[in-house]
Amino acid sequence: MTQPAAPPHRLRVLICDDNDTLRAALADVVRAQRDLTLVGSAADADQAIALACAHRPHVVVLDVRFPGGGPYTARQIIHSVPGVRVVAFSAYGDQGPRNEMAAAGVAGYLVKGITNARLLDEIRTLGDQALAHHAFAAEETPGR
């Protein structure tokens, strides 16, 4: 029996949460998807920024109350990795954290406790946006 062909573009995903158990669970969910590649998982801002710069993920799932600062980490990653999409992942659904993360440039906001399917839908949607950004940037680059 032949395996189905791999998807043409595997989305690169970085998981950033200080809760070891949640980070491992999210990593397992991402690894189980044929169209996603886990490029790393980080427990603090320094790790997250370093991994993002090294692996250039399409999507970063970032805890809002992340050690070193969720908004700070989001801004640094967005500045360092053109086209990356950051989705804030929070235990808090109130407007304050949403506004703070939106001001930092995140593309989405999810409240912890959602289904894996909802998380994966958001990752894929934002990943498609990142891929479109990269394709557009490649078309606009002289000499290509």
Side-chain angles (χ1 to χ4, degrees), residues 36-120:
L36 305 179
T37 298
L38 181 72
V39 296
S41 64
D44 63 39
D46 291 338
Q47 279 183 331
I49 295 163
L51 286 170
C53 290
H55 298 289
R56 324 257 335 136
H58 296 104
V59 179
V60 175
V61 178
L62 175 64
D63 181 16
V64 171
R65 302 275 163 102
F66 198 54
Y72 167 79
T73 305
R75 279 191 297 276
Q76 294 304 309
I77 290 172
I78 291 166
H79 176 75
S80 300
V81 184
V84 69
R85 299 302 189 260
V86 177
V87 59
F89 199 51
S90 178
Y92 308 95
D94 54 308
Q95 202 57 46
R98 287 177 185 271
N99 292 342
E100 194 174 18
M101 293 302 281
V106 302
Y109 193 103
L110 297 172
V111 177
K112 293 177 181 177
I114 60 167
T115 64
N116 290 344
R118 175 68 184 99
L119 174 64
L120 292 169

Side-chain angles (χ1 to χ4, degrees), residues 5 10 91 93 103 120 122 141:
R10 290 178 58 103
L120 292 169
E122 186 75 2
T141 303

